[in-house]
C-alpha cells in the first residue's frame, strides 16, 4: 500500500591494502586506524577493517608495529562483544582459522565466555578456505596476509569479498592509488586515512553497492535528495510543444 524510499548501509569484508615504501610513522598510523574500528568500536562497525593485505617488503615491520600497538592497549585489548551470538561467531572464526595470533592470546588476554570478550589480535596468513576470509568478521580480530603488490591485492579483494562498503588503500604512489580506485568496486574508498575522515565529511555521500547496501544517503545534500521527490517539470516555451503524436511543428 505504501512505497517508502530507503537507503541501506550494510557492510561487507572491507579490505585494507598496505603498500611498499611506507615508513614507520605511516605504518603506525595505519595500525592505529585499525585499532579505532577494531578496538574502540569493537569491530562491530560497518566500516571496520576486515582484513589487511600488506606488501611483502613491509610485512614484517607492519606486524612488529601491530604487536607493539596492541600490547600498548593494556586492559583495553580485551574487547567485549554486543551479544552471545556474535561472540560465538568470532570464537568459531578463531578456532577455524587455526593460525598464529599476534600478539598471542594468553595470560589475561584470552577468550572469556562469561564476559563475551575477545582480545584484539592479528591472524597471520590464514588460508583462503577458512571462514575468516569468507564472511564478515564483525569483531576485534583481523587477518593479515602478505602480497606481492597491488595487482595481487586487487585480485584477492575481488575474490574474497567483492563490493565492500569501504575499501582502504595506504600508499605513497599515485599509480597505485589509481589502480586501486579503478580495480576495486566498493561503495566508498579511503586512501591514506580512516573512516572518520570520510563519514565526518558533510559534503559527500556515503553508501554501499551490491551486497554492501544501496543508496547514498548518510547525510548532506545527497541524503536530502535520497529521501525527496525529485519532480522534474517540462514547460513548453512559445506555445504547444508538438510531438510525433500531436503533429510535428
Amino acid at each position: 500500500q505504501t512505497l517508502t524510499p530507503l537507503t541501506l548501509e550494510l557492510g561487507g569484508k572491507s579490505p585494507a591494502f598496505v603498500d611498499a615504501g611506507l615508513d614507520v610513522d605511516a605504518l603506525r598510523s595505519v595500525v592505529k586506524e585499525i585499532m579505532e574500528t577494531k578496538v574502540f568500536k569493537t569491530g562491530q562497525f560497518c566500516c571496520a577493517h576486515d582484513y589487511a593485505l600488506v606488501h611483502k617488503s613491509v610485512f614484517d615491520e607492519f606486524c612488529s608495529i601491530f604487536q607493539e600497538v596492541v600490547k600498548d592497549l593494556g586492559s583495553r585489548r580485551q574487547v567485549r562483544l554486543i551479544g552471545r551470538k556474535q561472540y560465538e561467531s568470532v570464537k568459531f572464526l578463531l578456532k577455524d582459522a587455526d593460525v598464529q595470533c599476534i600478539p598471542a592470546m594468553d595470560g589475561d588476554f584470552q577468550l572469556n565466555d562469561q564476559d563475551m570478550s575477545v582480545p584484539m589480535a592479528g591472524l597471520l596468513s590464514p588460508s583462503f578456505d577458512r571462514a575468516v576470509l569468507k564472511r564478515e568478521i564483525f569483531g576485534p580480530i583481523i587477518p593479515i596476509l602478505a602480497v606481492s603488490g597491488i595487482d595481487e591485492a586487487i585480485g584477492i579483494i575481488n575474490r574474497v569479498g567483492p563490493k565492500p562498503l569501504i575499501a582502504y588503500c595506504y600508499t605513497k604512489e599515485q599509480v597505485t592509488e589509481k589502480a586501486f580506485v579503478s580495480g576495486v568496486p566498493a561503495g566508498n574508498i579511503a586512501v591514506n586515512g580512516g573512516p572518520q575522515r570520510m563519514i565526518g565529511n558533510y559534503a559527500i555521500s556515503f553508501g554501499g553497492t551490491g551486497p554492501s547496501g544501496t543508496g547514498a544517503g548518510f547525510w548532506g545534500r545527497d541524503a536530502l535528495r535520497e529521501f525527496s521527490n525529485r519532480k522534474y517539470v517540462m514547460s513548453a516555451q512559445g506555445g504547444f510543444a508538438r510531438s510525433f503524436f500531436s503533429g510535428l511543428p
Side-chain angles (χ1 to χ4, degrees):
Q1 294 181 350
T2 303
L3 293 177
T4 303
L6 61 85
T7 178
L8 292 175
E9 181 192 310
L10 301 176
K13 294 193 70 62
S14 295
F17 170 64
V18 183
D19 198 13
L22 298 184
D23 60 23
V24 171
D25 287 340
L27 292 175
R28 187 176 298 276
S29 294
V30 174
V31 171
K32 287 186 174 181
E33 289 289 348
I34 292 173
M35 293 305 115
E36 179 207 345
T37 66
K38 288 296 205 177
V39 176
F40 299 102
K41 293 180 178 172
T42 73
Q44 298 169 109
F45 176 49
C46 60
C47 299
H49 304 72
D50 194 271
Y51 60 102
L53 302 173
V54 184
H55 195 283
K56 61 184 181 181
S57 66
V58 293
F59 183 79
D60 290 342
E61 191 165 29
F62 177 88
C63 290
S64 177
I65 293 171
F66 183 93
Q67 290 197 80
E68 178 188 333
V69 172
V70 172
K71 288 179 179 179
D72 286 346
L73 291 170
S75 61
R76 292 177 299 174
R77 181 189 172 194
Q78 194 76 18
V79 179
R80 288 190 176 188
L81 299 187
I82 197 168
R84 178 64 57 183
K85 181 179 179 180
Q86 187 55 28
Y87 171 75
E88 294 297 337
S89 174
V90 175
K91 185 177 176 180
F92 166 77
L93 293 178
L94 276 168
K95 182 178 180 180
D96 179 72
D98 191 27
V99 292
Q100 177 187 354
C101 294
I102 58 169
M105 292 188 180
D106 54 21
D108 294 332
F109 302 106
Q110 301 185 55
L111 292 169
N112 188 315
D113 291 345
Q114 182 176 352
D115 291 343
M116 297 186 299
S117 63
V118 178
M120 175 64 200
L123 279 58
L124 288 184
S125 304
S127 61
F128 289 105
D129 62 349
R130 300 294 89 187
V132 76
L133 285 174
K134 288 185 174 181
R135 68 192 201 200
E136 186 177 4
I137 295 170
F138 219 60
I141 57 174
I142 182 168
I144 305 173
L145 301 94
V147 293
S148 59
I150 184 63
D151 291 336
E152 183 182 4
I154 291 173
I156 291 172
I157 292 167
N158 290 330
R159 183 170 81 252
V160 165
K163 298 186 177 180
L165 178 62
I166 186 168
Y168 301 94
C169 177
Y170 302 100
T171 182
K172 296 193 303 182
E173 305 297 331
Q174 285 190 349
V175 64
T176 300
E177 176 183 339
K178 290 180 179 178
F180 190 89
V181 171
S182 63
V184 177
N188 313 273
I189 289 180
V191 179
N192 296 331
Q196 189 177 49
R197 284 289 187 178
M198 177 166 281
I199 64 178
N201 186 343
Y202 299 122
I204 64 172
S205 61
F206 190 87
T209 179
S212 61
T214 183
F218 201 85
W219 46 42
R221 181 175 58 186
D222 288 319
L224 181 63
R225 286 177 173 174
E226 195 76 26
F227 293 99
S228 299
N229 173 33
R230 284 165 278 187
K231 179 170 62 179
Y232 298 100
V233 176
M234 189 284 292
S235 178
Q237 302 297 310
F240 193 89
R242 293 182 181 275
S243 70
F244 174 83
F245 298 100
S246 57
L248 297 177

